[in-house]
Amino acid sequence: MTEDDKWERLTITLSESAPNIGLKVGCALVEDNSRLIAFSYENEIDGLEWHEILLLKLKNVHAHGLLTLYVTINNLSKQGNFGLSNVLGIFPIKRVVIGMPDPSLSSIREDDPIYSMVPFSRYSDKLKEVILQINLTAYTKSRCWIKNSFFEKKRIQELVKDNLSKRGYDTSTILTDFSHNYETLVNSLSTNDDMQQNMQNDVLESISQAFNFKYGIAGELKDAREFDNSDSWIDAVKRATSLSLDNNHSIPHILNVGVGNGKEALTLFDSQFGGTFIDIAPSGLERIKHHFKNASYYVCSANNLPENLSESYDIYLSLRTFNSAYFDVIHAIKEAYRVLKHHGTLIISIANAFVDEQDNTVIPGLLLPGTKFIDIYRGREITNELSYVLGENGFYSVVETVVPTEIFITARKDAPFLGKETRQSTVGKNIQYYIKQISTLGPSLPDPYKLINPYTVPPSDDMWSAIDSFYRHYYDDTDSRILIIGSNPSRSRSAVSGIPYEDPVKEDIGTNPNDTHTTGKKNFLQDVIDELGGKKLFYRKYYMGFFFPFGIERTSPQKRPTNANYYEDRALLEATKPISQKSLEYLLKTGVRDDICFCLGKGKHFECMHSLNAEYHYFQQIVPLEHPRYITQYHREQTEYFRSKYITELKKYM
């Protein structure tokens, strides 16, 4: 049982203690060291809601670390706002884990805190079903409880079971939990020795037949896209396709995976389309062959594309397939990476809408497996997970776009980075290679933010010359360094020089071999470096870098450009996170130590670092230090105290 599972089960048990008055909601607030800080449930104190009770209990409780809040239902309070909103912001909650949405919601509200305030994740599907059963009356009365739906009556997993049964397999051991994993489905089948040899082919054919029946029959489905008069999904594909060309007006070579009944292809492409169509079911492919005579066609799974397609495509397009039953997401992403050209673009979408067949309206969300409930959070939950998986498998610039019928994800294929076994001879060369790698990255930022990529700012020749001089002078060896990591470069300083915490003034970079101390205008960090023996000694032990390696500029309401931090806005944080992760992974391959890291800042930047490190284990220990700007702007009278603290901490490793 995982830590999340333990606390999720506790909150469900608590919710069952609530009296039968409205929704039964339970919550638990847990510290990073797995210490339970407080818990509550609806009407635990007569007449009070769970969030009111939790706040009462927390008046006499002191938390010492970052917190995770587990809540069975993100419900609306008596005042009509979200109860969760009344808790967030008061305590250092780094993460919220939600079970189910309020049953009264049939669309996303802009004030929903799980989108606007903190990262969120979800309870396991099994436990979501338990919450639903505990509150079944409220959920069955909601608009999100579907009735007589084609999708509900003809589920892929049931069709697959029928097909396998006809082939002689015992399907009694197949569980609905396996509906999104092909390998687990194969392993769950009861077979005799005679069947083992043909089992994998039989399973693939049974899945193909199921998809062929459900999605390959034109005209049978009521598609949510037919009710979207704006054709927003078409516009989203066109925007993503045009952005992928990088102002190169040549015709892109496109691979379209998941043709379905063929309607999508006929809408998106003209008759001269010369790309490639792929689907596990043949009928849709047969239907469009006469229309796209210049195209290529393959009947196969997205998890196992033809070997001859490697590095062949500018665009990999797959709409509403990545949340299909028996779809292996990780294998499909690896295959997409293989068939894309260098810096090619992946465009996928997750279906996120159902047609209410009683009044022909569209409800956003996806069915909770094994139920008739449309979960409005499920689409975003899946895309959040997909974004992480893409980053882990070589994609960058991952961007999500929500339209009424689905959620789009676009990403670029990265260049492979040298592993430890193929490092250059010195740390300085490794870092320069790292810089050249990240110079090709750069996500689209939400308004009103603008990206400043220091490695493309003119005059680039002077900048690269300074970078080469700096890293040859201070890092011309093979010794490991400890990372001191800030948030992101200043728009007019490091975001121009390209060297972390060095101004774009030649004498400030300090690459004169006779210089042991800083020159030019001093600041807090430079004073610390001087007291530790100067740059030559300091950089022999430390490397100063950034969590997000690019500058960020925000346009103020007065139309003035100002510095911005990557964490100051949720949409900005989500847009920058994949690059931050990739940058950290690259840095660790240059010669940066993974036993300890110093973080410049004890607030949101440290929370983000701590949260990511807890998930991916980049460093054994992260030590936060007060940010120099916090010291010089707000505690100038204590500068000597903080300087002494810096020197004491950093001197331990020199």
Side-chain angles (χ1 to χ4, degrees), residues 524 626 631 635-648:
F524 178 85
E626 287 81 0
I631 296 168
H635 295 278
R636 184 176 292 274
E637 72 283 356
Q638 294 181 280
T639 299
E640 287 305 317
Y641 163 76
F642 287 115
R643 185 184 291 121
S644 176
K645 181 178 178 181
Y646 261 70
I647 291 168
T648 300

Side-chain angles (χ1 to χ4, degrees), residues 53-165:
I53 300 165
L54 185 67
L55 292 175
L56 282 175
K57 291 182 175 182
L58 288 170
K59 284 184 177 180
N60 301 315
V61 174
H62 298 286
H64 301 287
L66 298 174
L67 305 174
T68 298
L69 180 63
Y70 297 85
V71 185
T72 58
I73 301 175
N74 187 27
N75 68 314
L76 297 172
S77 70
K78 294 172 183 175
Q79 288 72 39
N81 65 342
F82 288 90
L84 182 59
S85 298
N86 299 314
V87 179
L88 295 176
I90 298 176
F91 297 93
I93 296 173
K94 68 164 187 178
R95 175 171 166 251
V96 175
V97 186
I98 295 293
M100 295 288 285
D102 191 299
S104 68
L105 297 174
S106 58
S107 61
I108 298 296
R109 280 182 30 166
E110 290 185 3
D111 62 337
D112 193 328
I114 68 170
Y115 293 119
S116 60
M117 299 185 76
V118 296
F120 81 99
S121 53
R122 301 292 304 281
Y123 284 38
S124 68
D125 285 349
K126 280 185 178 180
L127 295 184
K128 289 174 195 169
E129 287 190 55
V130 176
I131 297 168
L132 189 150
Q133 289 299 320
I134 292 171
N135 298 274
L136 191 60
T137 301
Y139 281 100
T140 53
K141 290 181 179 179
S142 74
R143 277 201 65 214
C144 293
W145 194 266
I146 62 172
K147 303 171 181 66
N148 301 319
S149 165
F150 176 90
F151 287 93
E152 190 273 331
K153 288 186 295 185
K154 298 180 179 179
R155 298 191 178 190
I156 289 292
Q157 56 264 44
E158 296 301 325
L159 295 171
V160 170
K161 286 175 72 173
D162 289 344
N163 292 337
L164 287 169
S165 294

Side-chain angles (χ1 to χ4, degrees), residues 605-618:
H605 172 45
F606 174 63
E607 289 180 26
C608 292
M609 277 285 297
H610 188 278
S611 177
L612 196 66
N613 195 59
E615 187 172 359
Y616 293 100
H617 310 290
Y618 294 123

Side-chain angles (χ1 to χ4, degrees), residues 2 6 117 157 176 266 310 339 352 372 396 482 506 514 603 643:
T2 65
K6 178 174 77 173
M117 299 185 76
Q157 56 264 44
T176 55
L266 293 169
S310 295
V339 301
N352 193 44
K372 295 184 177 183
Y396 68 95
I482 294 172
K506 190 171 184 179
N514 297 319
R643 185 184 291 121

